[in-house]
Amino acid sequence: MVQDTIENIEEAHETMKFSSGEEKQKIQEKNKRREQSIKGMRAEIKDEYNYNND
């Protein structure tokens, strides 16, 4: 899931090159939420790893 989200961010960056101001802002906001999701997923993965290796 992390990799898919990273790919979506990269695709959004490409789309922004051809977008208007309002659309660019929406994409940037969505990418911020995606980045927060990635942080959460990574924290969950780390927690599960630590739980399983204790």
Side-chain angles (χ1 to χ4, degrees):
M1 286 191 326
V2 173
Q3 185 61 36
D4 291 339
T5 305
I6 291 170
E7 289 174 8
N8 288 339
I9 290 172
E10 291 170 354
E11 289 173 10
H13 282 292
E14 289 297 316
T15 302
M16 282 176 41
K17 293 178 183 177
F18 307 103
S19 302
S20 66
E22 186 177 326
E23 190 175 340
K24 275 186 181 181
Q25 184 174 351
K26 288 180 182 180
I27 292 169
Q28 288 172 338
E29 291 169 2
K30 194 168 192 175
N31 277 349
K32 285 181 186 178
R33 290 190 299 274
R34 286 175 172 146
E35 290 170 2
Q36 291 172 344
S37 294
I38 289 171
K39 287 179 185 179
M41 286 185 269
R42 287 181 172 159
E44 186 175 337
I45 290 167
K46 184 178 178 180
D47 288 345
E48 287 181 23
Y49 175 82
N50 289 335
Y51 177 79
N52 289 326
N53 288 311
D54 283 342

